[in-house]
Amino acid sequence: MEPQQQQQQNQQAPNEDCGGGSGKGSFLCRQSSTRWTPTTDQIRILKDLYYNNGVRSPSADQIQRISARLRQYGKIEGKNVFYWFQNHKARERQKKRFTTTTNHHVPMQSPTTAANNKYPNITPGYSPTSLSSTGALTVGQIGNYGYGSISMEKSFRVSAVCTLCLESYILVISSLKHR
Amino acid sequence: MEPQQQQQQNQQAPNEDCGGGSGKGSFLCRQSSTRWTPTTDQIRILKDLYYNNGVRSPSADQIQRISARLRQYGKIEGKNVFYWFQNHKARERQKKRFTTTTNHHVPMQSPTTAANNKYPNITPGYSPTSLSSTGALTVGQIGNYGYGSISMEKSFRVSAVCTLCLESYILVISSLKHR
DNA sequence: CACGTATGAATGAAAG
DNA sequence: CTTTCATTCATACGTG
């Protein structure tokens, strides 16, 4: 959610070290063992990527790079980045969803087509990047966006694309599964 | 995070002044601050929806309708309704979890309620065998309180992760290998 | 006014 | 992608 106001707590003092013992945080020590708590720097960068670079569903490769970059600001894993983008995107939409006036069910495609395709919005091969039009502000990302570019049904098209990409994704996958 | 946006918009609409209508006659007029403070009428309706109509997690569509209806009793947004149901449900569950874990008289769920439970397998600290064993008060409780039990639940819940997204990648991967 | 509690808001994680 | 869950932060409000 971005239009929110900052009543936020800046917990920029990252987890770890529970010794502090400020009254309020007293027994918050377990913090470090549970959830990732992004530092303000990390959040700043993530939002920059999201809003200024149009990153929405980063590929495994991007995830790795991003988390690597963010790591210098605090402990972070690939899955944290993955979840962050997923959540941020979802909540942005959700907010709109119950803010916007009731929708009159728009028929996007015929039932047949719909039945054939589980993920209608997947566009194989090319991903519409919102900002690629001008070429400015490009941040060295390949025009491949997450799941969109790699649809399983069309896997043959992807074959040549990036083994690297996939393998790094496996990393993310396994990190998710192990947990 | 968003440097701007600091100012709190009290879109509060001076309309419908405080005190208004019914309920809580003496409540402060100037709750000008941040949080949404539901009027008693709003709460009454929300609870009615919750308890008498079984609304737990209203869809975006329902949220819009509900908030529209509640708007006549005071300023309200969709997200307020959303959060209200979320919180109410969560705290009810939390409360039950606590009492269940703590007390030895287990407040049984009605069959209906139990059936409603989407994650029966993670019902914390509840051992079905204990009831059938003697019929007495023996409750074979796992001695886990608070966070301990939570982490335990988690481990059960982590079974299949994000199959939709991940499986597709696995497909691609295998297709690459067999290629 | 300090303080505890109830509850609104937010968000990481994960299931569906 | 959408929803749900758990947990935590922040604050409104009552009480002594």
Side-chain angles (χ1 to χ4, degrees):
Chain A
M1 315 180 173
E2 32 79 17
Q4 86 202 20
Q5 52 280 359
Q6 270 53 63
Q7 47 188 30
Q8 205 51 0
Q9 75 305 351
N10 293 334
Q11 72 291 57
Q12 78 274 10
N15 30 22
E16 252 73 30
D17 108 293
C18 334
S22 70
K24 176 161 194 139
S26 51
F27 68 118
L28 261 47
C29 296
R30 60 184 163 54
Q31 185 79 339
S32 54
S33 61
T34 46
R35 246 166 73 148
W36 166 61
T37 52
T39 67
T40 45
D41 282 323
Q42 287 174 335
I43 291 182
R44 183 174 44 74
I45 294 177
L46 286 169
K47 285 190 175 175
D48 179 65
L49 287 171
Y50 189 90
Y51 292 110
N52 300 136
N53 295 318
V55 179
R56 289 295 180 280
S57 301
S59 65
D61 187 45
Q62 289 175 294
I63 288 178
Q64 293 302 312
R65 272 200 304 264
I66 294 172
S67 69
R69 176 144 91 97
L70 293 185
R71 191 145 20 239
Q72 67 180 309
Y73 299 104
K75 192 175 155 196
I76 193 175
E77 290 177 72
K79 69 169 190 175
N80 301 131
V81 175
F82 173 80
Y83 282 136
W84 191 91
F85 280 97
Q86 195 170 254
N87 281 322
H88 205 72
K89 185 178 178 182
R91 284 179 173 131
E92 197 179 55
R93 290 181 168 217
Q94 179 188 55
K95 194 169 200 173
K96 195 189 311 173
R97 192 168 302 122
F98 54 53
T99 289
T100 306
T101 57
T102 309
N103 250 347
H104 13 297
H105 186 287
V106 180
M108 318 174 62
Q109 50 187 181
S110 70
T112 332
T113 312
N116 256 351
N117 192 349
K118 246 169 126 187
Y119 312 100
N121 56 343
I122 290 181
T123 314
Y126 176 73
S127 77
T129 309
S130 53
L131 63 142
S132 57
S133 53
T134 64
L137 287 182
T138 336
V139 234
Q141 32 196 28
I142 323 294
N144 255 329
Y145 270 65
Y147 316 115
S149 59
I150 304 181
S151 76
M152 43 258 111
E153 295 88 349
K154 317 293 193 287
S155 55
F156 287 138
R157 286 178 51 98
V158 196
S159 55
V161 175
C162 56
T163 314
L164 278 184
C165 191
L166 293 178
E167 277 175 358
S168 61
Y169 211 92
I170 294 177
L171 278 181
V172 178
I173 292 169
S174 56
S175 94
L176 280 173
K177 287 202 166 173
H178 285 319
R179 218 286 275 125
Chain B
M1 338 176 165
E2 269 66 16
Q4 83 294 42
Q5 180 61 21
Q6 191 52 301
Q7 59 87 29
Q8 194 49 38
Q9 73 310 12
N10 297 321
Q11 64 296 59
Q12 178 55 25
N15 63 11
E16 206 40 322
D17 75 316
C18 342
S22 62
K24 215 174 261 204
S26 64
F27 84 82
L28 272 301
C29 240
R30 263 329 144 201
Q31 36 101 35
S32 51
S33 290
T34 12
R35 263 165 58 157
W36 165 62
T37 51
T39 68
T40 45
D41 281 321
Q42 288 173 334
I43 292 181
R44 183 175 45 74
I45 295 177
L46 285 169
K47 284 190 175 174
D48 179 65
L49 286 171
Y50 189 91
Y51 293 108
N52 299 137
N53 294 324
V55 179
R56 290 295 181 278
S57 302
S59 66
D61 194 50
Q62 290 176 291
I63 288 178
Q64 288 189 53
R65 272 200 301 272
I66 295 172
S67 70
R69 177 143 89 96
L70 293 185
R71 187 133 37 227
Q72 66 181 310
Y73 299 105
K75 185 248 162 190
I76 193 174
E77 290 176 76
K79 70 170 188 177
N80 302 131
V81 175
F82 173 78
Y83 284 136
W84 190 91
F85 279 99
Q86 245 200 277
N87 282 320
H88 204 74
K89 186 177 176 184
R91 308 235 220 244
E92 192 180 58
R93 183 171 34 233
Q94 187 183 50
K95 187 171 297 181
K96 185 177 68 180
R97 182 169 53 211
F98 183 73
T99 54
T100 299
T101 308
T102 299
N103 294 344
H104 276 234
H105 93 291
V106 179
M108 288 280 285
Q109 296 181 311
S110 68
T112 6
T113 311
N116 242 1
N117 194 339
K118 265 169 126 184
Y119 305 102
N121 52 323
I122 66 160
T123 306
Y126 178 68
S127 164
T129 58
S130 57
L131 289 173
S132 56
S133 56
T134 64
L137 290 178
T138 12
V139 176
Q141 201 103 49
I142 309 204
N144 255 325
Y145 286 61
Y147 306 113
S149 68
I150 287 175
S151 60
M152 198 164 162
E153 297 168 22
K154 296 253 189 189
S155 60
F156 283 130
R157 297 182 52 162
V158 184
S159 46
V161 180
C162 195
T163 42
L164 271 191
C165 335
L166 302 183
E167 273 175 8
S168 62
Y169 269 89
I170 294 177
L171 272 180
V172 178
I173 290 163
S174 56
S175 89
L176 279 174
K177 292 202 168 166
H178 294 323
R179 170 164 70 98

